[in-house]
Amino acid sequence: MLKRLILDAAYLLQTSKKYQAQKKFYYNLLENDKYKYKRYVDIFMVILIFISVAVLIREVKFHVNDYLLFFSNYIISFIFFIEYMLRLWVSSSVSEIIVARAEHDTFLLREVKLLKAFKEVLRVKLTYMLSARAIIDLLAILPFFHELRLLRIFILFRVFKLFRYAKSFQTLSSVLATKKFEFLTLGIFGSIVIFVSSVLIYVMEANNENSTITTMYDAIYWSIVTISTVGYGDETPVTHEGRFVAILVITAGIAVLAFTTSLFVSAFTEKLDEIKEVKTIEDVSKLKKFYLVCGYESIAKEVIRKLIANGNKIIVLDEDLTRIENAKKDGYIALNYDPGDVKSYEKLNIDIDKQVKAVLCLREDDVKNVYSALTLRSVNKNVFVLSLLMNDANRKKLEFAGIDTIVYPQELIGLITKELVGKPVAFEVIHELRSENASVIIDELGVTQRIVDNFTTVKDLGNKEYKVVLLGVYKNTNDRFYFNPLEDTLLEAGDYLLVIGYKVFIKEFEKHLHTKVKHA
């Protein structure tokens, strides 16, 4: 009967959406660094730690207000107790272990052995309770028993809880953890040197009346001070033998310090890129609206330059480290993540619906763009996706991948070719546009209200005087592009002029527009 009740309770908890949601909420609040509200809990707990330590220091020589003392000894300790119990609760699932055991035994057509399940629960919970962090949490609660005055010294253990809440401490711990073996070796070497030198200096100095090193404790203290190269001078050897030991210990101390320094430097050097990446991801998660650009090749560079010029924020993803380094050199936020891998978007820790304006798949490889689009659609079905199309034969594949807008660069060149059919310069124009080192470019110029006040229609622009061809006008009001617009086409603020010509002429034409505005 009791077994049935336990099993029913375990299944009920395991299938209860409300219970699981609550447990997930507390887990995120206490353990999940990516959860947006966790930082507020961390700040609150850090404040409590500093209050309790400040009260302990004040109480040494001065009277502390009774209410403040009660708050420090009982209220704060009780809050830490609740935190400890919640962490113990979310560290593992008792119901999951019981259900797993029940299903295992049922599958094997044998009686459910709850005793094994309880042993597993005890093992898992004890593993957590004996971890360094859990022990520190437990010691921080001990001052709650205020009657035992000696236990109040355990308030100092609350300072160690800062390692749990401060990300910089966590980063430091993770960096040093990569050199566990080296630090263990260093610790063993240092311990042996301290032990041997303590025994030697004790043997050499203990029977000398003029020596201050008279006990083994004095010898250990002297060895530690000497090997650390601090050398307080309160205890020094007076015999020739003792001074010779001191020379050896000082030499060993220099070696230990050099080894320790090199370990710290190498650990941080190896982790530097990872630390920078974590910082970049934190910065990205705080951005409100940005464009996510997949790939950083020639077309992507031009698109990003235009978007940045218009005040937009850009995040670049590319699996090629060289291209990512180039993007960083150009001053953009770039991450060495594969846009075609779901894990990349999980690592980003962003809300695509709220933070991403649009995703631009700008790899000059249709297969890569298809993979990126399919991955994005598996992560989010609503985000707007634009993609380059390099080969028109792959258009259907990009459409099936769920891309909202497909940009085929050759179509624009085709339109220009159509306009120039029968003209002797047609081939030269197309060749110049397609050349990588071409001085002829296609550019877009934004139209502001002040420009409209001086240039009402297309005819007023005077672009022909600057040897600049106006390909078309993009009207922001109705989201349409007018190719080869009529001269009486009205200009409005927010429109874009698409022009073609030599770089130097386009620059002069742009200056002409702004210069006239300034003199108006």
Side-chain angles (χ1 to χ4, degrees), residues 9 19 38 47 55 64 123 143 147 157 166 174 226 274 312 424 470:
Y19 173 81
K38 182 181 182 295
I47 291 172
V55 170
V64 177
R123 185 191 67 79
E147 289 73 15
F157 278 92
S174 65
T226 306
E274 186 178 326
N312 295 293
L470 179 64

Side-chain angles (χ1 to χ4, degrees), residues 8-149:
D8 288 344
Y11 275 101
L12 179 64
L13 292 176
Q14 193 64 16
T15 56
S16 172
K17 291 183 179 179
K18 185 177 180 181
Y19 173 81
Q20 295 299 332
Q22 278 191 331
K23 188 167 186 176
K24 186 177 180 180
F25 169 74
Y26 285 112
Y27 174 82
N28 289 333
L29 208 60
L30 296 171
E31 301 289 355
N32 187 4
D33 290 329
K34 296 180 180 180
Y35 190 57
K36 59 181 178 180
Y37 296 116
K38 182 181 182 295
R39 62 190 300 266
Y40 299 110
V41 174
D42 292 349
I43 292 171
F44 175 69
M45 299 301 283
V46 168
I47 291 172
L48 293 182
I49 290 169
F50 281 117
I51 289 174
S52 58
V53 173
V55 170
L56 176 66
I57 294 171
R58 174 75 179 176
E59 195 182 12
V60 174
K61 286 192 173 183
F62 304 97
H63 175 71
V64 177
N65 182 279
D66 292 338
Y67 293 106
L68 184 58
L69 199 60
F70 179 82
F71 178 76
S72 175
N73 293 335
Y74 294 102
I75 303 299
I76 294 180
S77 296
F78 183 72
I79 293 172
F80 286 156
F81 174 73
I82 296 297
E83 180 212 15
Y84 178 79
M85 296 306 295
L86 286 173
R87 289 187 187 277
L88 182 62
W89 174 43
V90 302
S91 64
S92 57
S93 175
V94 174
S95 60
E96 184 179 352
I97 294 172
I98 294 174
V99 168
R101 168 52 59 180
E103 291 180 349
H104 177 267
D105 289 343
T106 302
F107 179 76
L108 296 176
L109 301 177
R110 65 189 186 193
E111 186 180 355
V112 178
K113 298 178 181 178
L114 280 182
L115 184 60
K116 285 190 175 181
F118 288 141
K119 286 181 179 179
E120 179 63 16
V121 169
L122 185 62
R123 185 191 67 79
V124 170
K125 293 298 181 183
L126 279 176
T127 300
Y128 171 77
M129 293 171 68
L130 294 176
S131 65
R133 287 187 173 186
I135 290 172
I136 290 172
D137 289 341
L138 183 62
L139 293 175
I141 298 169
L142 292 182
F144 183 68
F145 305 97
H146 188 237
E147 289 73 15
L148 301 174
R149 295 287 298 177

Side-chain angles (χ1 to χ4, degrees), residues 241-259:
E241 295 83 355
R243 288 172 179 170
F244 179 73
V245 172
I247 293 172
L248 296 178
V249 175
I250 291 170
T251 305
I254 294 171
V256 169
L257 284 178
F259 190 19

Side-chain angles (χ1 to χ4, degrees), residues 194 198 201 212-213 215-228 230-236:
I194 290 171
S198 298
I201 203 70
T212 55
I213 303 173
T215 65
M216 191 61 189
Y217 179 79
D218 293 335
I220 295 173
Y221 169 76
W222 173 86
S223 295
I224 294 173
V225 169
T226 306
I227 199 173
S228 64
V230 174
Y232 290 123
D234 53 344
E235 292 187 1
T236 55

Side-chain angles (χ1 to χ4, degrees), residues 463-482:
N463 55 290
K464 293 180 181 178
E465 298 174 15
Y466 289 86
K467 299 181 176 62
V468 172
V469 177
L470 179 64
L471 291 176
V473 177
Y474 171 78
K475 306 291 289 184
N476 208 15
T477 52
N478 58 6
D479 195 23
R480 287 187 60 186
F481 179 75
Y482 296 89

Side-chain angles (χ1 to χ4, degrees), residues 110-204:
R110 65 189 186 193
E111 186 180 355
V112 178
K113 298 178 181 178
L114 280 182
L115 184 60
K116 285 190 175 181
F118 288 141
K119 286 181 179 179
E120 179 63 16
V121 169
L122 185 62
R123 185 191 67 79
V124 170
K125 293 298 181 183
L126 279 176
T127 300
Y128 171 77
M129 293 171 68
L130 294 176
S131 65
R133 287 187 173 186
I135 290 172
I136 290 172
D137 289 341
L138 183 62
L139 293 175
I141 298 169
L142 292 182
F144 183 68
F145 305 97
H146 188 237
E147 289 73 15
L148 301 174
R149 295 287 298 177
L150 180 62
L151 295 181
R152 299 205 60 244
I153 198 66
F154 284 99
I155 283 177
L156 292 177
F157 278 92
R158 293 177 181 176
V159 176
F160 291 104
K161 286 172 69 67
L162 290 174
F163 283 94
R164 186 188 288 278
Y165 305 115
K167 286 187 178 180
S168 56
F169 287 148
Q170 293 176 13
T171 302
L172 176 63
S173 300
S174 65
V175 169
L176 298 183
T178 62
K179 298 291 182 180
K180 283 181 181 179
F181 176 76
E182 290 85 348
F183 279 112
L184 178 62
T185 304
L186 178 63
I188 293 172
F189 173 72
S191 300
I192 292 173
V193 172
I194 290 171
F195 176 74
V196 172
S197 61
S198 298
V199 172
L200 285 175
I201 203 70
Y202 179 72
V203 171
M204 302 298 179

